[in-house]
Amino acid sequence: MTHVLEVRGLSKSFDGVHAVRGVDFDLTEGEFLALIGPNGAGKTTCFNMLNGYLRPDAGSVRLRGAELIGRPPRKIWRMGVGRTFQITATFLSMTVLENVQMALISHHHRVFDLFSRATRLYVEQAMALLELVSMQDQARRACSELAYGDLKRLELAIALAHEPALLLMDEPTAGMAPSERIALMALTAEIVAKGGVSVVFTEHDMDVVFAHAHRILVLNRGELIAEGSGAEIRANPLVQEVYLGGGTSFVQEGAHA
Amino acid sequence: MGFYFAQLLTGLANASSLFLIASGLSIIFGVTRIVNFAHGSFYMVGAYLTYTLVTMWSGSVLGFWGGVILAAAAVGLLGLVIELTILRRIYKAPELFQLVATFGVVLIVQDVTLAIWGAEDLLGPRAPGLDRAVRIMGEPIPEYDLALIAIGPAVLLAIWLLFHRTRWGVLVRAATQDREMVGALGVNQAWLFSAAFVLGAFLAGLGGALQIPREAVSLQMDLSIIGEAFVVVVIGGMGSVSGAFVAAVLISVLNAFAILVFPQISIVLPFVVMAVVLIVRPYGLFGKPGSEHGAPEEPDQPLTLMSQRSAMVLATAVALLALSPAVAADFTMILLVDVMVATLFAVSLHFMMGIGGMVSFGHAAYFGVGAYGAAMAVKFFDFGMLPAMVFGPVCAATAAIFFGWFCVRLSGVYLAMLTLAAAQILWGVTFQWQDFTGGDDGILGVWPAKWASSDQVYFYVAFVLCIGGIWFLRRAAHSPFGYTLRGIRDSQTRAEAIGINTNLHQWMGFALAGGFAGLAGVVFAFSKGSVFPDSLGIAQSIDGLIMVLLGGIHALAGPIFGAVAFVMIEDWVTRLDYWRFIFGAIILIVVLLAPDGIAGGVRRLLRAVKGGAA
Ligand SMILES: Nc1ncnc2c1ncn2[C@@H]1O[C@H](COP(=O)(O)OP(=O)(O)O)[C@@H](O)[C@H]1O
Ligand SMILES: [Mg+2]
């Protein structure tokens, strides 16, 4: 099996407090991996180091053998890493379709083109991406009018525009209604199943995690404490202690996401 | 040694004056997030009122200080009136609206002051009991300067006590740091804002009042102080009163010594210091990130291409314009060239501001550099008209590339302030560098080539360049380059996440806008046959902002409507007495009643007509 991503010894501390300490893991081609842990466990910090927003104190992250650490986020994106945001970030003064077109324009290195009409570029590819997330009917709507769940789906379409090898999704379902969460993650699982992209995501809602993730990593106080399938994780006494001992259960965790 | 000490004391006395006005500006910004251009007007009115009161009660110590305090209090009251009638309505508007609205107040106050006190400079009495000089280390030091040196820190202390020992002060500080939180605490925001504004106006009035024994009172006091006051606030960190104090001392003392080496430096020094500070500390010495923006804007509607009917209307208008020399008189030709120049200038400003989200308070810099570039090419290198018309915009774009590199690292008000600093530096250079730029006398004899010397032919030269430039920028707005700029404006995070180098892109957008402003400047220079430092001045920059705002910032056609309306109104109004008052009133009416400008009004009208027809 080939590894898309190899993370070794990833560490980061803020003012002497270890937010992430010695995290190692591999991601297999086509895998759908969940990174879970209580609030403040270091999940977002991990993600930010993977996609270049934070520089780790130590460690290495290799995407198909190429080191990512030290590169700015936009270079990492060009190497084939897509991402969605915990709080959505889209171009609100554009239509849904234009948002996807922008990602394609950038991917094809045409942002400095002064003479073409932006709205006429890559229309078909952009529509195809919107179809993938079932947003084609809303293509011409202004992005500022979308419901939150639709914005999340749009972000997914944008993140897939440059055919990334790896997709990083930090709390993709935060702020969504429970039914929307299941739908979004089912959609993501489908996309993974089609092949070509591997996904790492963080999630509060344990139903979502156990329903879709191929494998689960548990982070606590910056360290990986367990790894395995849903059943293995549920049965792991250490994990139970972290969640139950901390006064929160799997179910409650989801509630205060 | 004594001489240097005396120089230091002069610097400190100046610092106190500067601090008084800047502290008020900083408090107002900190609490209300309004960049108050009218602050200079408060300062000026404070000085005029004091002049009247102190000459009336001349001679007595009580009369002098009573006059000073009373005048400052009256200015505080004036501030309250302006806050209640104007600013209260625009707290939720983008910073550009607020700036232009307060500039409307500046114009109105100027004419009211002119009507009351007349155009002559007025020389007030000295302060009784403090009208001599004492010798310190052998040098004569005015007693009044020593008093000022004490007053500055005393006011700082008073503000500090007010902010730390009263409930109101604690709220003001909380509001400065986090406005939402204060709203959430259930504090009456309206009252808090009014009180902060009154305090700020009072301090400005006090600053003006205390100038009476030091300088003549004149109608230029408002705009001459405002640039420096902004600089002090920005260097100190917006909203920080102690920052304003440190910055005022820094600038005034540096200035007191720098003029010994470089007598001409005063004009540019504050702006150079500000540029350096902002590059090292983007939020000023004591500022914190997060305080840079006014209220968030509503997202724009997606751009649409022109409907066939609008395209027809536009084509007809352009065709009529092209045919106008056949029928119109010469003075109309000249006015039409002015209109085209203003339109290209406004469209280039809108490109960086409306599309790129980079509000510039100093866009005239590139207009002026274009004009001067062409004029100097003609004068020193014997360039013909056409080569000079290429050279000017290249100079402007080069200047924009240079200053833009620094500016795009900042955003919001800080970016705007740095653009203002850049413009003031360039203005100072043209003003002071007599040998090359002619200083105040400008450069004369920049006439078109022989073949283009008739008004009709020059009209067509201007037509090709300006309409061509406007067409190009419109096209660019619809291009991937323009869309990317808008994307960065909407969400820098998203833009970076799809691989866009946001700094580089904004930098190029800045340069492009600067280059086209330069083209407008070149056409302007050859149509007038001369260039003056005014072409880079604050007033020219603000004219551009007013045009964009008048037309409506959210529409691509906005700056076109705005510039045409602006030049027409200006042409008509400036023939009248008290035209500033009228102009200021027009600005306020637009800002308060039609914040989406002419383009927005037309759009609403069309929608209503269509709705009525359906
Ligand atoms: N920029 C930062 N500065 C200081 N501490 C931080 C910063 N970002 C995160 N932390 C700390 O690091 C720890 C991990 O945070 P985070 O990665 O956001 O956790 P999670 O996403 O798992 O909830 C927390 O204790 C948090 O307070
Ligand atoms: Mg997190």
Side-chain angles (χ1 to χ4, degrees):
Chain A
M1 272 197 290
T2 50
H3 290 156
V4 185
L5 192 69
E6 292 170 342
V7 177
R8 292 290 174 273
L10 204 57
S11 301
K12 177 83 192 174
S13 49
F14 295 108
D15 308 321
V17 180
H18 294 284
V20 171
R21 188 157 28 167
V23 165
D24 301 318
F25 67 90
D26 294 324
L27 184 71
T28 314
E29 199 87 54
E31 201 175 17
F32 196 19
L33 176 72
L35 183 63
I36 66 169
N39 254 332
K43 305 180 295 287
T44 298
T45 306
C46 263
F47 266 53
N48 285 342
M49 291 190 284
L50 298 186
N51 54 36
Y53 283 82
L54 256 186
R55 210 190 159 99
D57 299 335
S60 106
V61 176
R62 284 172 184 279
L63 179 77
R64 293 185 169 146
E67 181 63 56
L68 297 186
I69 300 301
R71 293 176 203 263
R74 66 191 151 81
K75 293 267 167 63
I76 292 178
W77 178 84
R78 290 220 179 269
M79 291 168 71
V81 179
R83 65 168 300 190
T84 63
F85 293 90
Q86 186 168 345
I87 300 165
T88 58
T90 51
F91 300 139
L92 288 180
S93 73
M94 298 184 197
T95 65
V96 169
L97 183 66
E98 285 164 4
N99 264 275
V100 184
Q101 284 173 291
M102 286 310 297
L104 290 161
I105 284 170
S106 174
H107 178 51
H108 290 99
H109 297 278
R110 291 190 62 177
V111 292
F112 285 105
D113 179 343
L114 270 165
F115 297 98
S116 316
R117 291 227 185 272
T119 47
R120 292 191 189 147
L121 297 175
Y122 311 112
V123 179
E124 276 154 39
Q125 290 100 308
M127 280 308 279
L129 284 159
L130 286 175
E131 262 166 53
L132 202 61
V133 298
S134 311
M135 291 275 294
Q136 68 276 24
D137 295 339
Q138 311 202 50
R140 307 284 169 185
R141 285 184 70 188
C143 192
S144 54
E145 299 167 0
L146 289 188
Y148 194 70
D150 291 341
L151 274 179
K152 289 273 185 185
R153 282 195 287 163
L154 169 59
E155 279 210 327
L156 185 57
I158 294 171
L160 293 169
H162 67 316
E163 295 176 11
L166 169 65
L167 188 55
L168 300 171
M169 304 172 81
D170 191 13
E171 311 242 0
T173 68
M176 294 174 93
S179 61
E180 282 182 326
R181 297 177 179 200
I182 305 277
L184 183 76
M185 291 322 284
L187 176 66
T188 315
E190 239 171 75
I191 290 165
V192 173
K194 280 183 195 155
V197 61
S198 319
V199 175
V200 184
F201 72 106
T202 70
E203 182 56 66
H204 265 112
D205 187 335
M206 290 305 138
D207 290 342
V208 169
V209 174
F210 293 132
H212 295 292
H214 299 167
R215 189 158 61 101
I216 299 168
L217 301 175
V218 185
L219 202 59
N220 186 40
R221 298 182 184 203
E223 291 181 77
L224 282 183
I225 56 166
E227 172 194 343
S229 68
E232 286 164 355
I233 293 298
R234 245 189 285 233
N236 187 318
L238 209 56
V239 176
Q240 280 177 359
E241 195 193 306
V242 164
Y243 275 84
L244 298 174
T248 50
S249 71
F250 287 138
V251 182
Q252 280 168 345
E253 250 318 290
H256 69 86
Chain B
M1 191 60 216
F3 172 73
Y4 292 108
F5 190 67
Q7 209 59 25
L8 174 69
L9 291 179
T10 309
L12 289 175
N14 289 338
S16 281
S17 303
L18 198 51
F19 165 67
L20 285 179
I21 172 161
S23 62
L25 193 59
S26 199
I27 291 170
I28 290 175
F29 178 83
V31 175
T32 68
R33 295 290 188 275
I34 285 208
V35 178
N36 180 29
F37 234 93
H39 214 68
S41 307
F42 293 153
Y43 171 81
M44 179 174 78
V45 172
Y48 271 104
L49 281 174
T50 310
Y51 170 83
T52 301
L53 293 174
V54 169
T55 37
M56 201 163 65
W57 301 329
S58 69
S60 81
V61 173
L62 194 68
F64 179 83
W65 294 103
V68 164
I69 297 294
L70 201 62
V75 173
L77 206 61
L78 174 68
L80 182 66
V81 171
I82 289 173
E83 201 271 344
L84 291 179
T85 53
I86 299 167
L87 298 179
R88 180 153 291 192
R89 295 159 202 272
I90 53 170
Y91 283 132
K92 294 222 153 58
E95 51 249 24
L96 165 70
F97 283 64
Q98 302 167 343
L99 180 95
V100 171
T102 57
F103 190 73
V105 174
V106 169
L107 293 176
I108 291 174
V109 171
Q110 260 177 3
D111 266 358
V112 172
T113 313
L114 173 67
I116 298 176
W117 282 283
E120 298 252 318
D121 289 6
L122 304 174
L123 205 55
R126 301 218 178 161
L130 291 171
D131 48 3
R132 273 172 308 225
V134 290
R135 290 215 167 252
I136 297 180
M137 297 167 86
E139 296 285 328
I141 310 287
E143 287 170 344
Y144 191 73
D145 276 13
L146 295 177
L148 275 183
I149 292 174
I151 289 172
V155 170
L156 176 63
L157 181 70
I159 298 176
W160 191 88
L161 288 175
L162 188 65
F163 279 12
H164 289 81
R165 293 284 182 271
T166 67
R167 184 179 134 73
W168 180 79
V170 172
L171 287 176
V172 165
R173 282 192 301 138
T176 302
Q177 272 151 24
D178 185 350
R179 250 205 304 191
E180 282 70 32
M181 196 191 76
V182 176
L185 286 176
V187 173
N188 184 343
Q189 271 205 21
W191 178 77
L192 190 67
F193 281 25
S194 306
F197 205 82
V198 170
L199 176 64
F202 172 84
L203 288 168
L206 186 63
L210 290 172
Q211 283 304 93
I212 290 290
R214 304 185 88 208
E215 63 171 310
V217 187
S218 77
L219 288 168
Q220 283 79 50
M221 283 179 87
D222 53 353
L223 287 186
S224 66
I225 194 77
I226 192 70
E228 220 166 315
F230 273 147
V231 166
V232 168
V233 171
V234 170
I235 292 178
M238 294 198 139
S240 166
V241 175
S242 30
F245 186 79
V246 173
V249 171
L250 179 72
I251 285 195
S252 303
V253 172
L254 262 180
N255 191 48
F257 289 105
I259 52 170
L260 298 178
V261 193
F262 235 134
Q264 296 97 344
I265 198 144
S266 324
I267 293 185
V268 293
L269 182 88
F271 295 96
V272 173
V273 175
M274 165 164 138
V276 171
V277 168
L278 284 188
I279 291 157
V280 182
R281 289 187 64 96
Y283 301 101
L285 296 175
F286 296 88
K288 292 190 187 66
S291 61
E292 78 214 68
H293 283 285
E297 285 183 56
E298 289 274 301
D300 276 11
Q301 286 300 304
L303 282 186
T304 46
L305 291 178
M306 246 184 286
S307 70
Q308 215 145 32
R309 196 178 326 153
S310 324
M312 294 272 283
V313 173
L314 187 72
T316 316
V318 172
L320 281 179
L321 183 64
L323 293 175
S324 59
V327 289
D330 279 359
F331 68 87
T332 318
M333 292 293 84
I334 294 170
L335 183 66
L336 286 177
V337 171
D338 284 353
V339 168
M340 291 191 293
V341 166
T343 308
L344 177 57
F345 180 58
V347 169
S348 74
L349 177 60
H350 181 263
F351 188 78
M352 88 172 252
M353 204 165 79
I355 297 183
M358 298 177 278
V359 175
S360 171
F361 291 173
H363 200 52
Y366 311 104
F367 180 85
V369 169
Y372 267 94
M376 287 160 82
V378 169
K379 191 170 170 195
F380 296 108
F381 309 128
D382 273 330
F383 273 36
M385 180 182 80
L386 290 179
M389 282 182 155
V390 175
F391 186 71
V394 169
C395 293
T398 309
I401 285 173
F402 178 77
F403 288 109
W405 190 86
F406 301 104
C407 292
V408 300
R409 275 154 182 59
L410 305 176
S411 66
V413 180
Y414 285 90
L415 186 152
M417 287 298 161
L418 199 53
T419 57
L420 176 71
Q424 286 300 97
I425 290 169
L426 285 169
W427 176 80
V429 170
T430 50
F431 195 80
Q432 300 276 9
W433 205 13
Q434 289 274 349
D435 296 345
F436 281 92
T437 62
D440 212 7
D441 302 329
I443 298 177
L444 307 178
V446 191
W447 293 113
K450 249 208 192 77
W451 58 267
S453 60
S454 84
D455 284 342
Q456 271 76 10
V457 176
Y458 191 72
F459 170 86
Y460 283 110
V461 172
F463 180 86
V464 168
L465 293 177
C466 293
I467 303 297
I470 294 163
W471 171 81
F472 181 87
L473 285 175
R474 250 197 98 90
R475 178 104 214 185
H478 284 286
S479 74
F481 183 83
Y483 263 70
T484 307
L485 266 185
R486 287 176 63 230
I488 297 168
R489 176 200 69 186
D490 283 359
S491 169
Q492 188 137 2
T493 318
R494 168 49 68 196
E496 256 154 32
I498 57 169
I500 292 163
N501 187 339
T502 54
N503 269 351
L504 175 68
H505 209 89
Q506 289 191 317
W507 188 26
M508 293 301 114
F510 195 110
L512 193 70
F516 278 92
L519 182 62
V522 166
V523 176
F524 175 79
F526 281 101
S527 84
K528 302 292 173 208
S530 54
V531 289
F532 298 100
D534 291 359
S535 62
L536 304 88
I538 293 186
Q540 172 77 15
S541 291
I542 291 192
D543 283 355
L545 291 170
I546 294 173
M547 291 177 216
V548 171
L549 190 87
L550 195 62
I553 189 167
H554 296 297
L556 277 188
I560 301 176
F561 287 129
V564 174
F566 181 91
V567 177
M568 296 300 180
I569 295 173
E570 193 183 40
D571 184 60
W572 162 65
V573 157
T574 46
R575 296 177 202 167
L576 309 174
D577 289 338
Y578 298 114
W579 64 271
R580 288 188 192 85
F581 187 94
I582 300 172
F583 212 70
I586 293 175
I587 291 174
L588 287 181
I589 289 170
V590 170
V591 170
L592 295 179
L593 300 182
D596 49 358
I598 298 174
V602 170
R603 197 184 290 165
R604 270 180 295 162
L605 197 69
L606 284 180
R607 214 175 285 153
V609 170
K610 266 187 210 152

